[in-house]
Amino acid sequence: MPKFLRIGVHQSNVSGYTSKAWWVRRVGSTVFLKWGAVEVHGVGDGRKVYWTVPPREKAVRCGSVQPAKDYVKNAIARRRSHRYEPLAGKITIKRRPANRGAELEQALATILFVDIVRSTEKAARLGDSRWTQVMNHYYATVRRELKTLRGKEVVTTGDGLLATFEAPAAAVRCATAIREAVRTLGLELRVGLHVGEYKVSGPDVFGLAFHIGARVAAKARPGEVLVSSSVRDLMQQSEILFKDRGVHQLKGVPKRWRLYRVDR
């Protein structure tokens, strides 16, 4: 079955970037899916693509073969319209150095996840050349704000970005600064923040905290900065105001979470 790589603004002749991949395989009446962040090395047909962390997986049982075939056909069609392109070859887990040590380092940080609202529609309307220019300005703007507030970029995901901060207040200020700055480019963002622990091994990071940050961002409305209760609880004495957005079930994340909108 075909594999698909989300290339965003990147082209197949570009090496050394981080993106998203989506993979599908049908066995009888069951469809197996994998998706997650990848690193791309090399260009053209010689590209090597690696999962940066173990991908998320899902099995869909369709009952009979024909519905399974239809599921795969429709899923591929939907993702082609979201700027995925066919990717030949396998996607393997990126190997880590053998001498990295038996124990992973544990870290605690505020996690910021940024995503562009309706990016696919904007890309289709502007065309590849103009969209590439917009995205270049977008990432330059985001990285400028990260540098100002001492955020650390972890990974980019096509039109999204994940970063960490030592202090939640800096992360919130950075989120609102990015939101306002990119509006001059005609872009609206969804932003999510969460505080949590994760594991570090060299350049690689692992942990449920990153998934929670992404799911918080997914609950945000266009132009909204949402934070988990973990962030808000650490900022009780801050001058930043928060508005309760209720309790939510975050997809794939245990228990329900109370979210707050940054209201400043």
Side-chain angles (χ1 to χ4, degrees):
M1 297 300 296
K3 286 88 175 169
F4 285 82
L5 168 69
R6 185 165 189 177
I7 58 171
V9 300
H10 301 289
Q11 303 299 323
S12 58
N13 63 345
V14 178
S15 177
Y17 63 90
T18 307
S19 192
K20 288 180 181 175
W22 176 85
W23 175 92
V24 59
R25 180 168 64 95
R26 181 183 64 83
V27 178
S29 62
T30 301
V31 178
F32 297 93
L33 302 171
K34 293 182 182 180
W35 66 95
V38 293
E39 289 182 9
V40 181
H41 299 280
V43 298
D45 293 338
R47 284 187 296 183
K48 299 294 184 183
V49 182
Y50 303 92
W51 299 113
T52 57
V53 295
R56 299 188 64 184
E57 300 184 37
K58 180 180 180 181
V60 180
R61 292 172 176 81
C62 300
S64 61
V65 172
Q66 190 56 50
K69 289 181 178 179
D70 293 341
Y71 184 99
V72 170
K73 181 179 178 180
N74 292 334
I76 291 173
R78 287 198 305 272
R79 283 162 177 82
R80 276 180 174 152
S81 69
H82 285 74
R83 300 176 64 81
Y84 280 74
E85 68 172 19
L87 175 68
K90 298 174 66 175
I91 304 176
T92 58
I93 299 292
K94 185 178 180 182
R95 292 187 177 183
R96 298 179 185 86
N99 61 355
R100 71 185 189 280
E103 296 296 326
L104 298 175
E105 180 184 351
Q106 187 161 307
L108 173 68
T110 302
I111 295 160
L112 176 146
F113 192 92
V114 178
D115 192 40
I116 299 175
V117 176
R118 292 186 291 275
S119 60
T120 302
E121 296 174 21
K122 290 181 172 64
R125 186 175 68 251
L126 294 176
D128 288 344
S129 179
R130 176 57 182 154
W131 182 244
T132 298
Q133 294 177 359
V134 170
M135 291 300 291
N136 287 340
H137 288 303
Y138 161 71
Y139 279 116
T141 300
V142 171
R143 286 164 179 151
R144 182 175 63 247
E145 299 298 341
L146 287 177
K147 183 177 180 180
T148 299
L149 287 156
R150 298 184 179 181
K152 180 181 178 182
E153 180 179 333
V154 176
V155 66
T156 59
T157 55
D159 52 18
L161 183 137
L162 177 66
T164 59
F165 293 79
E166 292 185 4
V172 172
R173 287 197 296 270
C174 188
T176 56
I178 290 171
R179 177 189 61 186
E180 299 306 317
V182 303
R183 281 175 171 161
T184 63
L185 301 173
L187 301 177
E188 200 71 87
L189 301 180
R190 292 187 182 89
V191 186
L193 296 106
H194 174 64
V195 172
E197 292 183 332
Y198 58 94
K199 302 291 186 180
V200 181
S201 177
D204 299 322
V205 293
F206 317 85
L208 180 61
F210 292 109
H211 295 290
I212 295 174
R215 295 308 185 193
V216 172
K219 291 290 184 180
R221 298 168 183 145
E224 196 170 46
V225 177
L226 282 188
V227 307
S228 69
S229 56
S230 301
V231 176
R232 194 256 186 185
D233 290 347
L234 289 172
M235 298 184 65
Q236 294 279 8
Q237 306 303 316
S238 170
E239 295 181 356
I240 297 174
L241 302 178
F242 298 92
K243 184 173 182 179
D244 192 338
R245 278 269 270 107
V247 177
H248 298 258
Q249 180 65 59
L250 305 181
K251 185 177 179 181
V253 176
K255 74 177 187 178
R256 293 168 65 83
W257 290 78
R258 184 170 294 278
L259 305 182
Y260 297 85
R261 184 182 72 200
V262 176
D263 199 12
R264 53 180 298 181

